Amino acid sequence: MKKNQILAGVAGLAFVSTLSFTSAALADDDKLEQLKSQGFARVAIANEPPYTAVSADGKVSGAGPDVARAIFKKLGVPDIVASVSEYGAMIPGIQARRFDAVTAGLFMKPERCGAVAYSEPILCDAEGFLVKKGNPKGFKAYKDIAKDSSATVGVPGGGLQEKMALAAGVPRDRVIVAPDAQGGLKMLQDGRIDLYALPMLSLNDLKKKAADETIEVVAPVADAPVGCDGTAFNKADTALRDAYDVELAKMKKSGEFAKIIEPYGFSADVAMSTSREKLCAAN
């Protein structure tokens, strides 16, 4: 009797486990159908041109959202609805299902790859510093900031630049979080920081729009890697991510991908020269 009860119990556990696995798989497969039904995907952006941008009338553009919009349309999801978010809040937002995807220059790193399901690479860029004209303190690397006991660096909150500055030995009290790119620019102009760190293309766009000849961009940063982002999804939505990757691959092959991102200054060849596997394994 006891043996039969044990066997029944094991069978029951196996049945429950199978049901759980099946439910998870179905939930994954149902995500795309859910997005098709609601007619849009909720995406997180950072309002950091040329990666992402929001105009005065609320229209969302930038290389990341433009790629995402094109792919979602091919998947049967007519549009995207964007929310501006700090980088540090993007992954928690995906995990809490506040967003369906992140398309915001959220560069792939091993710890991020463990937290979200990335697409294949989309936007690649080198890191840069925005400094006063002539780069008076000679900043070429994060380690230069660490060595200068009075130097302060502005960074986006929760972004890669904040982590690189701290990892290079810049003390926490000399790493100043800026609310956004415009805020970082203003802090530099007002002398509240010695430099502002962002990807090179973002800084070039910021300087161009500011039309300020008293500042310049130093790039690439010597001790910072070239990085690439991808569209990030909830870990449970790998079927949606895989479908997204299929359309992304078609666009890369046809040239449509290059037509979308290259007017923003990004290189399609660089994005196609690497892979999610390589970027997620990089230190």
Side-chain angles (χ1 to χ4, degrees), residues 128-142 144-155 170-171 173-178 183-198 203 214-218:
F129 293 152
L130 189 66
V131 298
K132 291 290 187 180
K133 189 72 174 179
N135 193 12
K137 292 196 172 185
F139 296 123
K140 296 180 179 179
Y142 281 101
D144 297 333
I145 308 168
K147 290 175 182 177
D148 185 334
S149 62
S150 67
T152 52
V153 55
V155 296
V170 184
D173 63 351
R174 293 201 280 118
V175 180
I176 313 300
V177 173
L185 170 65
K186 186 69 165 57
M187 289 165 70
L188 177 66
Q189 291 170 325
D190 292 347
R192 287 182 284 156
I193 56 175
D194 294 297
L195 69 161
Y196 183 51
L198 272 182
L203 292 179
T214 70
I215 57 177
E216 68 178 62
V217 176
V218 175

Side-chain angles (χ1 to χ4, degrees), residues 26-204:
L26 287 174
D28 189 7
D29 289 340
D30 285 346
K31 183 63 179 179
L32 179 54
E33 295 306 315
Q34 175 198 327
L35 297 184
K36 288 180 182 178
S37 177
Q38 71 185 24
F40 60 89
R42 301 165 301 162
V43 302
I45 66 169
N47 198 14
E48 183 189 321
Y51 289 85
T52 58
V54 182
S55 62
D57 63 1
K59 179 176 173 56
V60 176
S61 61
D66 285 0
V67 170
R69 185 182 286 109
I71 293 176
F72 276 119
K73 280 184 178 179
K74 294 175 188 298
L75 292 173
V77 183
D79 205 356
I80 59 172
V81 175
S83 299
V84 176
S85 171
E86 287 190 354
Y87 281 101
M90 289 176 182
I91 289 178
I94 275 285
Q95 293 173 330
R97 296 289 191 183
R98 290 192 291 273
F99 315 122
D100 300 309
V102 173
T103 174
L106 190 68
F107 284 6
M108 294 185 209
K109 293 292 172 184
E111 65 273 17
R112 289 176 176 171
C113 294
V116 296
Y118 272 110
S119 72
E120 287 296 328
I122 295 176
L123 307 177
C124 300
D125 197 1
E127 293 296 317
F129 293 152
L130 189 66
V131 298
K132 291 290 187 180
K133 189 72 174 179
N135 193 12
K137 292 196 172 185
F139 296 123
K140 296 180 179 179
Y142 281 101
K143 64 182 180 181
D144 297 333
I145 308 168
K147 290 175 182 177
D148 185 334
S149 62
S150 67
T152 52
V153 55
V155 296
L160 177 63
Q161 295 76 22
E162 181 179 14
K163 293 182 180 179
M164 288 192 292
L166 295 171
V170 184
R172 174 76 265 182
D173 63 351
R174 293 201 280 118
V175 180
I176 313 300
V177 173
D180 52 32
Q182 288 296 329
L185 170 65
K186 186 69 165 57
M187 289 165 70
L188 177 66
Q189 291 170 325
D190 292 347
R192 287 182 284 156
I193 56 175
D194 294 297
L195 69 161
Y196 183 51
L198 272 182
M200 178 179 65
L201 289 172
S202 298
L203 292 179
N204 286 338

Side-chain angles (χ1 to χ4, degrees), residues 9-25:
V10 170
L13 287 172
F15 179 69
V16 170
S17 177
T18 301
L19 278 179
S20 299
F21 177 80
T22 302
S23 296

